[in-house]
């Protein structure tokens, strides 16, 4: 079974801002498969890990690899697990922190593109990182990961 772990950053919107309540940091998945998609193409910063690494260590490592920034310090709120449509089990923690998306230096991956061409190209893991209010986040996040938003809401209260 494939397993991933990640961190969901959240912050409280300042009074009078256009968005009221919590905001979450999501990344738009890079590469050609998601280039023209919005709904279902945004994710928490996360990545796969194997038996030699804990989910928590993987979540922090993947945050650094995908965003090019140190993972934030602070209380880590366990959000549990969700199973995505492809069968991958994702474990996440929420951390309250602020981050300027302009400071992100995304990691990259290589893949053959176009398929069957024999040519490898490099793509950013996340081609955009943005803060979303919870309702807007629900419209773009990978469907199964919406469970993390629900659990964050339960933890944060009204």
């Amino acid at each position: 079974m494939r397993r991933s772990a990640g961190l969901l950053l959240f912050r409280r919107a300042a009074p009078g801002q256009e968005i009221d309540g919590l905001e979450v940091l999501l990344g738009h998945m890079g590469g050609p498969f998601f280039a023209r998609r919005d709904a279902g193409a945004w994710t928490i910063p996360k990545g796969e890990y194997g038996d030699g690494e804990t989910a928590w260590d993987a979540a922090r490592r993947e945050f650094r690899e995908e965003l090019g920034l140190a993972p934030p310090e602070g209380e880590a709120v366990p959000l549990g697990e969700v199973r995505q449509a492809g069968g991958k089990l994702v474990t996440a923690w929420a951390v309250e922190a602020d981050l300027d998306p302009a400071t992100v230096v995304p990691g990259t991956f290589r893949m053959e593109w176009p398929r069957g061409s024999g040519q490898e190209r490099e793509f950013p893991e996340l081609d955009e990182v943005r803060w979303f209010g919870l309702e807007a986040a629900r419209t773009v996040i990978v469907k199964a990961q919406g469970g993390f938003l629900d659990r964050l809401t339960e933890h944060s209260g009204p």
Side-chain angles (χ1 to χ4, degrees):
M1 172 189 349
R2 294 177 32 217
R3 300 176 298 170
S4 283
L7 298 179
L8 175 62
L9 264 57
F10 71 98
R11 67 183 184 186
R12 297 170 199 284
Q17 278 189 313
E18 188 176 314
I19 299 170
D20 191 26
L22 296 179
E23 294 177 304
V24 293
L25 187 76
L26 300 177
H28 186 269
M29 292 181 272
F33 301 123
F34 300 99
R36 292 181 179 86
R37 289 183 49 198
D38 205 35
W42 292 79
T43 182
I44 67 170
K46 64 167 184 48
E48 291 188 16
Y49 67 100
D51 293 334
E53 186 176 28
T54 68
W56 172 246
D57 288 340
R60 295 178 54 78
R61 174 184 52 78
E62 285 292 335
F63 188 92
R64 182 180 302 277
E65 287 178 9
E66 293 205 352
L67 301 182
L69 302 169
E73 299 299 325
E75 178 188 0
V77 178
L79 298 177
E81 299 173 335
V82 298
R83 185 169 308 278
Q84 295 186 166
K88 183 186 291 183
L89 190 64
V90 181
T91 305
W93 288 264
V95 178
E96 186 169 3
D98 201 358
L99 180 150
D100 180 355
T103 63
V104 169
V105 181
T108 60
F109 68 96
R110 297 187 67 78
M111 67 179 282
E112 180 183 26
W113 191 257
R115 280 190 176 165
S117 68
Q119 298 176 18
E120 271 204 1
R121 293 190 45 202
E122 189 170 71
F123 298 96
E125 299 239 16
L126 301 172
D127 58 22
E128 183 179 357
V129 176
R130 187 186 323 162
W131 288 100
F132 287 89
L134 288 176
E135 292 312 308
R138 288 180 204 287
T139 68
V140 297
I141 197 167
V142 171
K143 187 175 180 178
Q145 292 180 27
F148 295 141
L149 302 179
D150 297 338
R151 294 171 197 162
L152 174 62
T153 302
E154 290 168 11
H155 167 76
S156 300

